Amino acid sequence: MILATHNSLSSYRPKKWWMTLLNPFAKCQSLSIEEQYAKGVRMFDIRVIPHTGEAAHGLIKYDVDIENILMWLNKTAMKFPYNEKIYVRLCCESSNSDVETIIWFHSYFSWCRSKFENIIFCGGYIKDGWTKIIDVRDPEYLELYRTFNCHKNLKGWEKVKSILEYILHPTPKYWANKDNSLYIDKYNSYNGYIMLDFV
């Protein structure tokens, strides 16, 4: 089992005051990238807004320089070229999959791969339908965190119960505190990455 973080940049400060009010519902991490790395994280989920390249999760934009983060990860990966891999799951945080957005994301993804050669970039998803639009191979990983959409594959009372639970506890931090130790125990011998909130 190797740790991965979901919405890895959501520990940083929101860009606008009103985003701070919504941030508890979008914030999935409390540690910086360096602190996540120190805790053993080797796969990072980075979401970018099309055309600006800003870090975001939903409506929240984060005050962090993604290029500086990638430079740090790239240098860190260089220190361990033979026994350690650092993955970045790069995704387009957009509910719009128009041609301009797709072209921009392809270009941004290519730029990241050429500039930060020691990082293995995977993902290539666009949030609209969670569609993979870039043909890159992902490592084996499990996404182990609770979202409102968890009810989609449930039926009957289980579906209703899941929706009610999330309405009562709509923050990622609540579910991470409740479930992370269970996930880590259950998947301790798993030979891949487990992606968590609030590592």
Side-chain angles (χ1 to χ4, degrees), residues 161-174:
K161 183 180 165 191
S162 177
I163 292 169
L164 289 174
E165 281 179 337
Y166 205 81
I167 289 170
L168 290 172
H169 305 288
T171 63
K173 187 156 197 168
Y174 172 86

Side-chain angles (χ1 to χ4, degrees), residues 48-123:
V48 293
I49 294 178
H51 311 295
T52 67
E54 294 169 282
H57 180 203
L59 297 172
I60 315 299
K61 296 177 185 176
Y62 294 100
D63 191 12
V64 58
D65 187 325
I66 292 178
E67 188 172 353
N68 283 343
I69 294 288
L70 294 176
M71 279 171 48
W72 186 85
L73 288 172
N74 195 58
K75 284 180 188 172
T76 302
M78 235 168 59
K79 295 175 186 173
F80 304 99
Y82 302 111
N83 60 4
E84 184 163 69
K85 296 176 181 173
I86 294 178
Y87 283 90
V88 167
R89 184 176 81 165
L90 193 59
C91 301
C92 187
E93 186 75 13
S94 175
S95 56
N96 186 359
S97 56
D98 60 35
V99 173
E100 290 83 9
T101 297
I102 290 170
I103 289 171
W104 177 85
F105 187 53
H106 272 273
S107 175
Y108 183 80
F109 200 100
S110 295
W111 175 79
C112 287
R113 287 176 86 181
S114 64
K115 185 170 178 70
F116 308 106
E117 295 178 344
N118 301 307
I119 298 171
I120 303 167
F121 287 93
C122 61

Side-chain angles (χ1 to χ4, degrees), residues 148-161:
F148 180 71
N149 293 331
C150 286
H151 71 270
K152 283 189 173 178
N153 296 324
L154 301 174
K155 293 182 181 177
W157 170 243
E158 288 301 314
K159 185 178 193 115
V160 172
K161 183 180 165 191

